[in-house]
């Protein structure tokens, strides 16, 4: 099903009972975030805030807040249907017979839907602000978290054109409102927008930019998708394929760029590469930590166009699970066939929410020779944005990669620390705060596949279970917390039946985590333990998702994961200058308690279900 625009999608959600209207006045500063955060974490409905203080426009949020709603926007019954849709497009086989060729006609017709189509009358250009009329404060842009540097557009479709080739790009880069007519432009060093700006700088010209807000929800998804660099394939083309019809675009009123004709708002303007960059941030990011302030390009808004009665769509990011987890899952399904074309032994893969996309990848394979797990993992590191992956766990084909607990149980059964773990280095997401350098750090491969004789014989260990094909934690009984050893700074700890020892540490000195690991590994309580997970003092050791989320955010795998005795130690505690860590350590995102209390008081006034409070 193709939706003409986001408002038609909202109407369908409301008919299905998946969108609730809130008529009570709400603040765009923190209050909407607190309500929406509770809703998405419980799989609740999308929300339409009709009375936003200081703005004439309503705010819609959580529209893609479940995997079922994402599947609905992309025209499939479930997200696995995306893989089949792409597999059908790229498999143009059928032999040389007339019948074989005719079998491809439908697929080729789908492919012909890729190019966008130009329209003259665009709903998004019904109202136009130019020059002094431009006032971004009239648009209900949200301040999401207490330490945010200001209001941020969180669902922006940022459109640029290569100054040399004319090829379009659309990406979802956060946009911080700086004044009534300017914003920051968060183009990271790996992003296409940065490359376009650099080309404009060399040519001595401004780079035109358009920021669309809204449109067909399939286009919103497409802006987040990690598209391969295939000529003619851009985000408009992907949205056209997903919706089964060419995407409508219009020429901007002050920029020579195609913009989605069915968007709600479009900000038009330019970035001048000769200008000094502006300080942008902090921002409560999808990692669940704040991204600290840094210098980014300055976007000057020359015009704002909109519908006569627009809705402002938004999302929030922060501690997982969040709405972006379902967009990530859609991309997994969409690009699985392409990954299998390049690495055919891949059966499935998954990026769990605790890994906030790049930090953790589970991949199952059909294994037929020794070392194949490392071949697959290194192949994944070379695939597009998978280069940012921090930890890759490789599993046998019968292991369900979406079962978080099952995967980690398989790791304790089949991966011997040291023998079946390998660290390397490479590009890291620039939002990663723990890496050895900005955008550069350590990576970890865990081979949790069934071992072949060649892979076992090299193990140098006195433990008899390390010479076999499969480790067996059966019979291991975790010790109660009061029977575990004490150590300076340990606030809480527990062991799990599958061989993990979880520790919350209040760190006060250099080397404290390594000293802890040495003491615990040598203690009798370590017998049967495979992994020691050392977390910061804000981590709930009784919440496995919270533990892994903290660990994966706070490690550089080369520096912070090591073999200690017979176990693998993971140092997910905060790094400090005395240890040679010179970068500033960001805080975790926590909502202001006053806002939490206000939302608690007004929950029934908002008219929201008590069960989702």
């Amino acid at each position: 099903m193709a939706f003409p625009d986001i408002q038609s999608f909202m109407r369908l959600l409301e008919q299905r009972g998946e969108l609730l209207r809130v008529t009570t006045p709400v603040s765009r500063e923190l209050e909407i975030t607190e309500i929406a955060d509770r809703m998405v974490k419980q799989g609740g409905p999308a929300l339409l805030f009709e009375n936003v203080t200081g703005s004439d426009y309503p705010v819609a949020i959580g529209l893609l807040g479940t995997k079922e709603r994402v599947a609905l926007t992309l025209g499939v019954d479930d997200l696995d249907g995306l893989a089949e849709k792409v597999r059908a497009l790229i498999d143009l086989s059928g032999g040389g017979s007339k019948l074989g060729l005719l079998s491809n006609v439908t697929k080729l017709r789908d492919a012909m839907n890729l190019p966008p189509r130009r329209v003259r009358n665009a709903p998004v250009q019904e109202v136009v602000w130019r020059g002094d009329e431009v006032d971004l404060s009239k648009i209900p842009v949200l301040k999401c978290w207490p330490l945010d540097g200001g209001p941020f557009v969180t669902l922006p479709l940022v459109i640029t054109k290569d100054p040399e080739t004319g090829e379009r790009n659309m990406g979802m880069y956060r946009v911080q409102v700086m004044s009534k007519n300017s914003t920051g432009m968060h183009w990271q060093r790996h992003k296409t927008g940065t490359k376009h700006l650099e080309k404009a700088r060399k040519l001595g010209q401004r780079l035109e930019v358009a920021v669309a807000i809204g449109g067909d929800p399939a286009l919103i998804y497409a802006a987040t998708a990690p598209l391969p660099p295939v000529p003619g394939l851009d985000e408009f083309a992907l949205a056209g394929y997903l919706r089964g019809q060419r995407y409508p675009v219009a020429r901007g009123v002050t920029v020579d760029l195609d913009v989605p004709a069915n968007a709600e708002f479009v900000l038009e303007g330019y970035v001048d590469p000769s200008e000094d960059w502006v300080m942008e941030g902090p921002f409560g990011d999808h990692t669940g930590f704040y991204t600290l302030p840094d210098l980014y390009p300055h976007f000057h808004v020359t015009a704002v166009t909109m519908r006569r009665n627009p809705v402002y769509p938004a999302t929030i990011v922060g501690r997982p699970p969040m709405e972006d987890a379902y967009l990530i899952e859609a991309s997994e399904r969409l690009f699985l066939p392409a990954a299998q074309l390049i690495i055919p032994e891949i059966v499935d893969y998954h990026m769990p929410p605790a890994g906030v996309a790049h930090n953790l990848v589970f991949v199952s394979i059909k294994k037929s020779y020794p070392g194949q797990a490392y071949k697959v993992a290194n192949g994944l590191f070379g695939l597009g944005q998978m280069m940012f992956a921090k930890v890759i766990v490789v599993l046998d084909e019968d292991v369900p990669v979406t079962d978080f607990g099952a995967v980690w149980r398989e790791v304790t059964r089949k991966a011997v620390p040291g023998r079946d773990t390998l660290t390397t280095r490479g590009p890291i997401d620039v939002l990663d705060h723990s890496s050895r350098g900005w955008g550069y750090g350590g990576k970890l491969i865990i081979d949790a596949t069934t071992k072949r004789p060649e892979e076992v014989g090299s193990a140098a260990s006195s433990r008899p279970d390390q010479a076999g094909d499969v480790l067996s934690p059966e019979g291991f009984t975790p010790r109660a917390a009061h029977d575990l050893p004490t150590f300076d700074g340990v606030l809480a700890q527990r062991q799990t039946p599958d061989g993990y020892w979880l520790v919350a540490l209040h760190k006060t000195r250099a080397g404290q985590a390594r000293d802890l690991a040495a003491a615990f590994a040598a203690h009798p309580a370590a017998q049967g333990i495979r992994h020691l997970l050392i977390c910061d003092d804000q981590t709930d050791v009784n919440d496995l998702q919270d533990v892994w989320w903290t660990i994966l955010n706070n490690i550089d795998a080369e520096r912070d994961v090591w073999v200690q005795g017979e176990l693998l130690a993971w140092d997910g505690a905060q790094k400090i200058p005395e240890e040679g860590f010179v970068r500033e350590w960001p805080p975790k995102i926590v909502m202001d308690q006053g806002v939490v209390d206000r939302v608690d008081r007004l929950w029934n006034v908002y008219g929201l279900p008590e069960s989702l409070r």
Side-chain angles (χ1 to χ4, degrees):
M1 177 186 298
F3 297 95
D5 50 41
I6 202 123
Q7 294 196 38
S8 62
F9 180 60
M10 290 166 53
R11 286 191 290 272
L12 177 62
L13 291 184
E14 188 167 28
Q15 292 168 11
R16 294 162 59 115
E18 294 187 54
L19 182 141
L20 297 179
R21 295 173 181 264
V22 177
T23 58
T24 305
V26 294
S27 172
R28 67 178 93 172
E29 184 167 331
L30 307 184
E31 187 176 359
I32 287 178
T33 295
E34 175 63 19
I35 299 169
D37 188 30
R38 299 187 191 192
M39 203 63 66
V40 75
K41 281 183 167 51
Q42 300 186 69
L47 299 170
L48 179 63
F49 294 96
E50 297 184 312
N51 191 347
V52 181
T53 304
S55 178
D56 294 331
Y57 310 115
V59 170
I61 197 165
L63 298 175
L64 305 176
T66 66
K67 65 173 63 179
E68 292 77 17
R69 293 206 287 270
V70 173
L72 181 64
T73 69
L74 302 180
V76 292
D77 294 331
D78 58 59
L79 291 181
D80 285 330
L82 282 178
E84 297 310 314
K85 202 168 185 177
V86 174
R87 191 171 284 112
L89 179 63
I90 64 179
D91 178 18
L92 295 179
S93 59
S97 67
K98 290 183 179 179
L99 185 60
L101 292 173
L102 287 173
S103 70
N104 289 321
V105 168
T106 300
K107 301 173 187 177
L108 294 173
R109 184 182 299 120
D110 287 340
M112 289 172 62
N113 282 326
L114 299 182
R117 62 181 176 88
R118 184 75 55 77
V119 298
R120 291 185 177 179
N121 298 315
V124 76
Q125 294 173 347
E126 291 172 339
V127 177
V128 179
W129 299 343
R130 299 174 188 260
D132 291 339
E133 295 177 312
V134 173
D135 187 353
L136 300 180
S137 70
K138 294 180 180 179
I139 302 173
V141 183
L142 306 183
K143 180 180 178 181
C144 299
W145 299 107
L147 301 184
D148 281 358
F152 284 84
V153 181
T154 52
L155 274 181
L157 313 181
V158 181
I159 303 163
T160 56
K161 187 166 58 176
D162 189 306
E164 294 177 345
T165 68
E167 289 190 3
R168 285 186 301 260
N169 178 69
M170 177 187 294
M172 190 168 287
Y173 317 114
R174 73 184 190 228
V175 173
Q176 181 181 349
V177 175
M178 301 290 188
S179 71
K180 63 176 291 187
N181 61 358
S182 70
T183 78
M185 186 57 66
H186 195 262
W187 282 330
Q188 300 166 13
R189 63 167 64 175
H190 302 102
K191 302 302 183 181
T192 305
T194 299
K195 297 174 184 176
H196 289 178
L197 184 62
E198 178 60 17
K199 287 187 177 184
R201 185 190 66 78
K202 291 179 178 178
L203 293 171
Q205 62 188 47
R206 293 173 172 177
L207 181 68
E208 292 188 326
V209 183
V211 179
I213 305 169
D216 183 331
L219 186 65
I220 294 174
Y221 163 71
T224 72
L227 291 182
V230 177
L233 178 62
D234 63 15
E235 291 75 15
F236 285 122
L238 175 59
Y241 173 65
L242 293 172
R243 72 205 303 267
Q245 53 188 257
R246 296 171 63 189
Y247 204 93
V249 297
R251 185 58 53 89
V253 298
T254 62
V255 293
D256 184 21
L257 293 170
D258 288 330
V259 301
N262 55 4
E264 301 295 306
F265 297 87
V266 172
L267 317 183
E268 298 182 2
Y270 64 89
V271 173
D272 186 341
S274 67
E275 282 188 340
D276 290 338
W277 288 9
V278 293
M279 190 63 71
E280 187 256 19
F283 176 68
D285 224 316
H286 78 276
T287 60
F289 288 71
Y290 283 94
T291 299
L292 298 175
D294 206 346
L295 293 170
Y296 281 94
H298 197 190
F299 173 49
H300 299 271
V301 181
T302 55
V304 176
T305 72
M306 69 189 79
R307 292 170 177 265
R308 286 196 181 89
N309 296 295
V311 170
Y312 178 78
T315 189
I316 53 171
V317 292
R319 289 193 182 207
M322 283 289 195
E323 189 171 10
D324 60 335
Y326 306 113
L327 297 174
I328 292 166
E329 188 169 346
S331 288
E332 289 176 10
R333 299 303 91 194
L334 189 68
F335 292 102
L336 175 61
Q340 290 170 326
L341 273 179
I342 300 168
I343 310 175
E345 56 265 64
I346 290 178
V347 174
D348 202 357
Y349 77 103
H350 178 52
M351 295 182 286
V356 294
H358 300 125
N359 285 347
L360 182 62
V361 182
F362 298 152
V363 56
S364 59
I365 66 170
K366 292 182 179 179
K367 183 174 178 178
S368 57
Y369 54 84
Q372 195 169 5
Y374 300 106
K375 177 261 189 186
V376 169
N378 283 304
L380 285 174
F381 284 139
L383 288 183
Q385 291 195 36
M386 197 67 79
M387 68 178 175
F388 299 127
K390 185 183 287 190
V391 177
I392 294 182
V393 180
V394 188
L395 306 142
D396 290 325
E397 61 183 299
D398 60 343
V399 179
V401 293
T402 56
D403 188 331
F404 194 78
V407 168
W408 289 116
R409 286 191 295 273
E410 197 76 353
V411 168
T412 59
R413 292 182 64 237
K414 295 184 178 178
V416 176
R419 187 193 77 183
D420 303 323
T421 54
L422 179 68
T423 55
T424 183
R425 300 174 192 160
I428 293 290
D429 191 335
V430 297
L431 299 181
D432 188 287
H433 60 265
S434 62
S435 58
R436 60 190 291 154
W438 190 60
Y440 175 61
K443 297 168 179 288
L444 174 68
I445 300 170
I446 300 177
D447 177 5
T449 62
T450 300
K451 301 302 178 294
R452 294 186 167 249
E454 300 89 343
E455 298 171 307
V456 173
S458 62
S461 174
S462 60
R463 278 172 50 177
D465 64 358
Q466 290 195 357
D469 200 28
V470 175
L471 302 179
S472 179
E474 285 82 2
F476 169 71
T477 300
R479 298 197 181 197
H482 58 77
D483 291 330
L484 297 175
T486 58
F487 190 85
D488 175 39
V490 171
L491 303 181
Q493 57 179 315
R494 75 179 179 102
Q495 293 182 343
T496 68
D498 45 0
Y500 292 86
W501 193 342
L502 320 177
V503 180
L505 176 67
H506 176 61
K507 189 170 183 177
T508 57
R509 60 179 175 82
Q512 190 173 356
R514 284 194 174 260
D515 291 344
L516 183 155
F520 279 19
H523 194 277
Q527 185 64 39
I529 291 294
R530 301 288 186 259
H531 296 262
L532 175 64
L533 306 181
I534 304 169
C535 305
D536 62 28
D537 52 10
Q538 294 178 283
T539 304
D540 181 0
V541 298
N542 295 304
D543 184 341
L544 191 61
Q545 296 286 333
D546 192 38
V547 167
W548 277 114
W549 167 67
T550 298
I551 288 283
L552 293 162
N553 269 295
N554 286 355
I555 62 165
D556 179 296
E558 185 182 19
R559 182 192 62 218
D560 301 322
V561 183
W562 69 95
V563 177
Q564 185 76 52
E566 303 291 357
L567 51 77
L568 197 68
W570 305 62
D571 176 11
Q574 178 175 341
K575 309 305 178 290
I576 57 178
E578 291 80 1
E579 296 171 313
F581 190 86
V582 297
R583 302 167 65 195
E584 185 178 353
W585 196 266
K588 289 181 174 179
I589 298 171
V590 179
M591 181 53 77
D592 179 80
Q593 188 58 46
V595 175
V596 174
D597 293 342
R598 172 178 170 79
V599 170
D600 279 338
R601 284 196 315 272
L602 296 178
W603 193 262
N604 293 328
V605 178
Y606 300 137
L608 300 174
E610 185 66 27
S611 60
L612 298 176
R613 178 192 286 268

